[in-house]
Amino acid sequence: MRAELASMALAQISNRYLLTQLIAKATRKLHRPNTRVQDTMNDAFKRFASSQPRAARRAAEVASSSERRAA
């Protein structure tokens, strides 16, 4: 199951090394006591998999900032 989550997250972040580092940071920040670390890692993978790709997010930011300047 985690392999599926990892491949879905790799669709958003193509660099495996960067994905590993981001998952480790997210796991440390999201982890709650008395829960399994594996569950926290799976949650982090799900969050990365469902997030917008960086390029799309950047394009949306540029579009919204140009609309603000026009108004």
Side-chain angles (χ1 to χ4, degrees):
M1 175 162 164
R2 188 171 303 149
E4 293 173 12
L5 293 173
S7 64
M8 290 180 355
L10 277 171
Q12 307 300 327
I13 302 169
S14 60
N15 186 338
R16 289 178 185 218
Y17 179 75
L18 178 61
L19 178 63
T20 304
Q21 293 224 329
L22 291 173
I23 292 295
K25 285 181 183 180
T27 301
R28 284 192 294 270
K29 290 187 183 233
L30 294 173
H31 187 66
R32 293 197 170 94
N34 299 327
T35 60
R36 294 178 358 146
V37 174
Q38 295 89 336
D39 293 336
T40 306
M41 287 180 67
N42 288 341
D43 183 43
F45 274 114
K46 288 176 189 174
R47 288 174 185 234
F48 278 109
S50 66
S51 68
Q52 287 183 343
R54 245 188 228 173
R57 188 171 47 235
R58 179 71 180 140
E61 289 173 0
V62 169
S64 67
S65 67
S66 64
E67 288 175 3
R68 280 187 245 144
R69 282 185 260 171

